[in-house]
Every structure is written in structure tokens, then in C-alpha cells.
């Protein structure tokens, strides 16, 4: 999991304290006896100071100091919003990177499992063919009693069994598959979770009957509870194109990604990939505004999004 590039909790704590300071500014920042006297009536102040001049002077001082502090309220709230916005923006960006890196790097282990399963299934198929052949030539009992025997060594011995002649003269005899590779678990991995002091990454996938990923869900959560969730749903099984010019294969299946950001807002992104690898990506934000990006081919970068005309 990539390190988060910013302490989001600290930014939100600054934002909280800014708002508290703004609340204090709303009352002029005055507290205690100073505030009580400042908000008292003129007659109450005169009685307290014993002088109309002192009462007037204090009232003038209190009013001016309070009004100047009140002017800071809006600025403090705007600054608090800025800290909050920076925290959410950087968190969402980091979350997107972490989400993609978590699955694409193979952390879930699905690609490795599929490779191991393919290797084991291939070995099992060869083993079945070999066992059937040994049964056919009458050698099955011998190898059942001598499981570590190697047919080449056995049939080159002076006292080789009679079935060895059949094996030696058979140009189409299958090969001994040898020892089995490690057998993978019966069920493929479909979940991945990682957690440290920086936060938590959770990835889960849904598969079709051929173990193709049809849906991916990634959730990033910081220690202070900020959360980012991305759900990608594919329209079909992989549709891999092998370029005639020998380039890297690419997948042209379409997909939809629904994203829930740290502030609870949601966007939907629909991606359509053409046969030549070019594509169009349309994103709709929480307010219904749409933007469109395009790419020229499978190796092309997506263009800067442009607002879609109504």
C-alpha cells in the first residue's frame, strides 16, 4: 500500500480548530468579566466604574476590539474550508492510486492462483493420460508397487519387464509427467486487506465461471475514518485483441466505475473501448454535470476532461 502523501487527520484537526476560533471571533473573542462588562448597559457600566467618562472609554475600546475580531470570522471559516478541501482532495487522489495499486499489482493473488491452477490442471491431465497408458500396456501394477521407479531406468535393465518392449517401440507413448506441482486451494482468492498506521485498504472481486474478474470493489480508509470507495463493473468477460503488428495485447471490454469520495459525494464513469483500443470516458458528477475524455489507442493517455454541452 503506497504511503499517504499527507496527514489528512492533521488537516482536519486544523480545520476544526479554525472553526472554533471563528466561533470565538463571532463574539469578539471576549470572555469572563471583560465580556460581561462590555455587554452591560451604559447605566450598569457607569455604576461599576463610578464615572461616565471611564464607562464611555471602556465601551469604545470594547466595541472596536470586538468589531475587528468579528471581521475575521468569515475569513477563518473560509480558511477552514480550504484545509478541509485540501485534505479531501489529496486523500481522494491518494486513495485512487492506492486502490489501483492494490489490485493491479496482484496483491489479491488471483493471477498467481490462476497460473498455479493452470499448471496443476495441466499436470493432472498428463498424469491421467500416463496412468491410462500404463494400464493399457500392463505396467500399472508395477508402478503402483514401485512409485519412485523411472520407466527409462526400468526398461534399460537386464531383467526389464515384458511390457517394456511395447513402451520402447511405441513412438506415440505419452511422457511421464513426473512429480506434481503445488496444488492451489480449491477456491480462488477474492479478497485482500492491508492495514497499518497510515490506514486500511480493502479489495474484493467477483468472478465468472472462468475466474475472470467481473466486478472490483476497493475501499481506502484513514485512521480518522475518511473513506473512499471505488466499484468497477465490467460489461463482459475479457475481450483481448492481439495486434497484427506484434504489439502488446489489450482488452476492449467496456466498464463502469462508481466512486464515493471522502465527503460522501459520488461520481459515475462509463468507459467504452473500441476495437482499435481507442476509447471514450464519460464522467457524471453528483450534480449531474458530465465531462468527457478520450484516448487514441490502447497505449494512449486519456485527454483532459471537457465539459459536455447540454
Amino acid at each position: 500500500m503506497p504511503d499517504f502523501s499527507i496527514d489528512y487527520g492533521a488537516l482536519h484537526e486544523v480545520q476544526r480548530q479554525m472553526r472554533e476560533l471563528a466561533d470565538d471571533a463571532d463574539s469578539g473573542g471576549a470572555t469572563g468579566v471583560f465580556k460581561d462588562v462590555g455587554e452591560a448597559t451604559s447605566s450598569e457600566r457607569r455604576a461599576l466604574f463610578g464615572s461616565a467618562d471611564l464607562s464611555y472609554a471602556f465601551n469604545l475600546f470594547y466595541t472596536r476590539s470586538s468589531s475587528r475580531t468579528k471581521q475575521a470570522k468569515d475569513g477563518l471559516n473560509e480558511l477552514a474550508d480550504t484545509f478541509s478541501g485540501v485534505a479531501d482532495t489529496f486523500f481522494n487522489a491518494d486513495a485512487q492510486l492506492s486502490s489501483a495499486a492494490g489490485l493491479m499489482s496482484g496483491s489479491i493473488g488471483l493471477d498467481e492462483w490462476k497460473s498455479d491452477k493452470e499448471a496443476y490442471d495441466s499436470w493432472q491431465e498428463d498424469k491421467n493420460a500416463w496412468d491410462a497408458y500404463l494400464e493399457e500396456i500392463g505396467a500399472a501394477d508395477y508402478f503402483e508397487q514401485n512409485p519412485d521407479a523411472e520407466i527409462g531406468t526400468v526398461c534399460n535393465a537386464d531383467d526389464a519387464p515384458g511390457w517394456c518392449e511395447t513402451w520402447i517401440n511405441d513412438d506415440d507413448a505419452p511422457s511421464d509427467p513426473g512429480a506434481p506441482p503445488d496444488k492451489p486451494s480449491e477456491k480462488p482468492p477474492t479478497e485482500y486487506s492491508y492495514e497499518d498506521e497510515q490506514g486500511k485498504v480493502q479489495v474484493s472481486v467477483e468472478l465468472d465461471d472462468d475466474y475472470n474478474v467481473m466486478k472490483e470493489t476497493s475501499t481506502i480508509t484513514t485512521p480518522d475514518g475518511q473513506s473512499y470507495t471505488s466499484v468497477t463493473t465490467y460489461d463482459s468477460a475479457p475481450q483481448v485483441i492481439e495486434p497484427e503488428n506484434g504489439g502488446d495485447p489489450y482488452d476492449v471490454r467496456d466498464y463502469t466505475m462508481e466512486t464515493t469520495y471522502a465527503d460522501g459525494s459520488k461520481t459515475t464513469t462509463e468507459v467504452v473501448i473500441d476495437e482499435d483500443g481507442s476509447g471514450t470516458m464519460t464522467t457524471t458528477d453528483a450534480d449531474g454535470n458530465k465531462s468527457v475524455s478520450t484516448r487514441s489507442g490502447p497505449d494512449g493517455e486519456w485527454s483532459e476532461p471537457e465539459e459536455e454541452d447540454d
Side-chain angles (χ1 to χ4, degrees):
M1 172 184 175
D3 289 340
F4 291 106
S5 60
I6 251 178
D7 188 341
Y8 316 106
L11 285 178
H12 280 285
E13 178 62 18
V14 171
Q15 175 225 179
R16 184 186 65 79
Q17 293 186 18
M18 284 283 184
R19 295 197 189 283
E20 289 181 355
L21 189 57
D23 290 340
D24 288 340
D26 193 32
S27 65
T31 58
V33 175
F34 180 69
K35 181 180 179 182
D36 292 340
V37 176
E39 295 181 354
T41 64
S42 58
S43 59
E44 289 173 335
R45 278 195 303 274
R46 283 197 303 271
L48 177 65
F49 287 107
S51 167
D53 291 338
L54 285 177
S55 175
Y56 172 77
F58 179 86
N59 183 57
L60 181 63
F61 172 74
Y62 179 83
T63 301
R64 289 189 175 179
S65 64
S66 297
S67 64
R68 293 199 174 203
T69 312
K70 286 180 179 180
Q71 290 173 6
K73 179 185 177 182
D74 291 342
L76 288 169
N77 278 322
E78 289 177 5
L79 190 56
D81 290 339
T82 299
F83 275 103
S84 178
V86 168
D88 288 346
T89 298
F90 275 89
F91 170 69
N92 291 333
D94 266 353
Q96 287 175 313
L97 291 174
S98 300
S99 172
L103 185 57
M104 297 306 163
S105 66
S107 296
I108 202 169
L110 180 60
D111 289 342
E112 182 180 359
W113 181 88
K114 290 168 70 174
S115 178
D116 290 346
K117 185 178 189 309
E118 182 178 352
Y120 186 85
D121 289 349
S122 178
W123 174 87
Q124 187 64 66
E125 186 177 335
D126 292 343
K127 180 70 166 56
N128 292 341
W130 177 245
D131 290 346
Y133 180 74
L134 293 180
E135 187 72 36
E136 180 183 335
I137 66 175
D141 290 343
Y142 180 89
F143 283 98
E144 184 176 340
Q145 297 170 10
N146 303 276
D148 296 329
E150 198 277 321
I151 193 169
T153 301
V154 172
C155 290
N156 280 306
D158 293 337
D159 57 346
W163 47 260
C164 278
E165 183 176 354
T166 302
W167 176 75
I168 291 172
N169 294 322
D170 190 351
D171 294 334
D172 296 325
S175 299
D176 184 347
D182 291 337
K183 185 178 182 180
S185 61
E186 292 295 329
K187 294 184 178 181
T190 57
E191 295 183 349
Y192 168 76
S193 180
Y194 178 86
E195 184 173 10
D196 60 17
E197 68 278 1
Q198 303 285 354
K200 185 175 184 179
V201 173
Q202 293 173 288
V203 178
S204 64
V205 297
E206 295 180 15
L207 311 175
D208 63 12
D209 292 341
D210 295 321
Y211 308 111
N212 296 308
V213 175
M214 301 302 294
K215 185 176 183 179
E216 307 169 1
T217 301
S218 304
T219 300
I220 316 297
T221 307
T222 61
D224 63 352
Q226 275 189 288
S227 181
Y228 166 102
T229 299
S230 174
V231 180
T232 302
T233 305
Y234 295 95
D235 290 358
S236 68
Q239 300 179 34
V240 179
I241 301 295
E242 300 279 352
E244 295 181 358
N245 59 8
D248 294 332
Y250 55 89
D251 190 354
V252 298
R253 61 177 170 170
D254 302 335
Y255 59 92
T256 300
M257 182 167 63
E258 295 182 351
T259 303
T260 303
Y261 292 102
D263 62 358
S265 62
K266 297 182 179 181
T267 64
T268 300
T269 299
E270 297 175 306
V271 179
V272 177
I273 306 297
D274 298 323
E275 288 293 314
D276 62 356
S278 62
T280 302
M281 179 166 56
T282 304
T283 298
T284 306
D285 65 18
D287 296 323
N289 301 314
K290 292 187 177 183
S291 60
V292 179
S293 296
T294 59
R295 74 179 190 187
S296 59
D299 298 323
E301 294 186 0
W302 292 102
S303 66
E304 288 294 321
E306 297 183 1
E307 294 295 326
E308 188 178 69
D309 295 331
D310 293 334

